[in-house]
Amino acid sequence: MSRATGGQASGRSVGTPGRPGVLAARGTAPGPWAASDPYSAALRAGRGPLFLRRVDGWLLPLEVERWCARADAVDLEVLDRCEGAVLDVGCGPGRLVAELAARGRTVLGIDVSEAAVARTLRLGGQSLRRSVFEPLPGEGRWGTVLLMDGNVGIGGDPRALLMRVAALLAPGGLLIAETAPVDVDERTHVQVVDVTDAHGADSPFPWARIGTPALLRHAGTAGLRTAAQWTSGGRRFVALRGDRCDHSDRGDHSDRTASNSAEPPNSAAVISSQRARKPSADSAATDR
């Protein structure tokens, strides 16, 4: 993976790999992912400890060290399955975006954390500070959307998230999601905390924990069908393919594979300062 020095998210243009883009600012009220929050501090340090704390006190450890390292062997297996232009939703510190960019792939990461976007840019990847539920570049033209590291929990409503992703995909496009290693289908409210902030400085936000069976149950309502399921390195994954057809071609898109040379999504974009995200894949939790 090649590394490139870059500026902060507010000062560097963003575009498709090898081509500059346009970056503008749009401000909203600060929230739990402000520059001084525990998550941002952990990304700057490259290590935890960091936890998702449920309102009842239950803790889920977050894998900050893994996120801040290079893409590992399990990650690489996932990236080998990607088709066409790739959108990494909740890209965090950018290890997957950077690896795909180093391969010459068209890839964009989005995250609502300023620290995550800045770190992705420093790695040489392209990233926008944006919620998945906001307008995004290339809607309806992404070959692959990634929901890794527990990001199937974004927003606390898996069906709404899957429907949103289905709208982002190109006809027959691929969603690759990492699910919890247990059979769970939970909606809850959480805070991101470190060992010095056991109660959290901000209001709890909605989150979900979803295992593979639950994700497959929700997928059908979003027009997504199962393409593959696998386990690697103790992590679980599902690939779902969109059934939405291009009106210009009424043929069967069920086996469509987008080419890496496909037209890249328009990357002229607006950076949002909305915050709301970035926990990890489910791992063993402790009660406290």
Side-chain angles (χ1 to χ4, degrees):
M1 180 192 313
S2 62
R3 296 176 65 92
T5 302
Q8 296 296 314
S10 60
R12 175 172 171 170
S13 65
V14 176
T16 54
R19 187 174 66 186
V22 177
L23 183 147
R26 178 174 63 189
T28 56
W33 304 96
S36 60
D37 74 335
Y39 176 65
S40 298
L43 289 195
R44 286 192 292 269
R47 63 182 183 274
L50 200 65
F51 305 89
L52 275 188
R53 181 184 186 275
R54 206 163 57 190
V55 291
D56 62 3
W58 184 87
L59 294 174
L60 174 67
L62 303 182
E63 300 180 79
V64 179
E65 290 83 359
R66 180 170 67 81
W67 300 340
C68 290
R70 295 180 58 150
D72 62 22
V74 177
D75 295 328
L76 297 180
E77 290 178 21
V78 171
L79 300 186
D80 288 343
R81 294 173 180 258
C82 290
E83 304 171 356
V86 181
L87 178 67
D88 186 2
V89 174
C91 65
R95 73 188 191 282
L96 305 180
V97 175
E99 173 63 27
L100 285 168
R103 297 182 181 190
R105 300 292 299 270
T106 298
V107 57
L108 175 68
I110 61 168
D111 203 295
V112 294
S113 164
E114 181 178 358
V117 169
R119 184 161 179 142
T120 302
L121 295 174
R122 287 195 295 271
L123 289 177
Q126 302 298 309
S127 185
L128 295 177
R129 191 174 176 189
R130 188 77 61 86
S131 163
V132 67
F133 295 106
E134 292 183 290
L136 293 172
E139 296 202 10
R141 289 187 283 136
W142 292 99
T144 303
V145 173
L146 297 176
L147 286 173
M148 298 281 281
D149 302 329
N151 287 330
V152 289
I154 289 174
D157 186 342
R159 290 187 183 183
L161 179 60
L162 290 174
M163 291 181 68
R164 174 58 176 149
V165 169
L168 294 171
L169 288 170
L174 196 66
L175 164 62
I176 302 179
E178 182 171 357
T179 60
V182 293
D183 186 0
V184 62
D185 188 359
E186 176 185 80
R187 289 105 174 110
T188 186
H189 283 74
V190 297
Q191 295 167 295
V192 178
V193 300
D194 57 26
V195 292
T196 65
D197 184 19
H199 299 292
D202 299 288
S203 300
F205 57 90
W207 196 255
R209 295 172 61 236
I210 303 295
T212 295
L215 183 66
L216 297 181
R217 287 195 298 270
H218 296 310
T221 63
L224 298 166
R225 60 179 178 81
T226 306
Q229 303 176 48
W230 71 98
T231 299
S232 182
R235 296 161 62 188
R236 296 185 182 180
F237 302 92
V238 173
L240 301 169
R241 194 170 292 283
D243 284 335
R244 185 170 58 84
C245 290
D246 188 335
H247 293 299
S248 65
D249 180 2
R250 296 186 182 274
D252 182 7
H253 291 276
S254 60
D255 296 320
R256 167 176 171 155
T257 299
S259 166
N260 188 37
S261 62
E263 178 187 359
N266 176 17
S267 54
V270 177
I271 299 296
S272 169
S273 61
Q274 176 186 352
R275 296 156 168 90
R277 127 67 307 168
K278 175 71 188 143
S280 113
D282 201 356
S283 58
T286 57
D287 290 302
R288 179 162 112 167

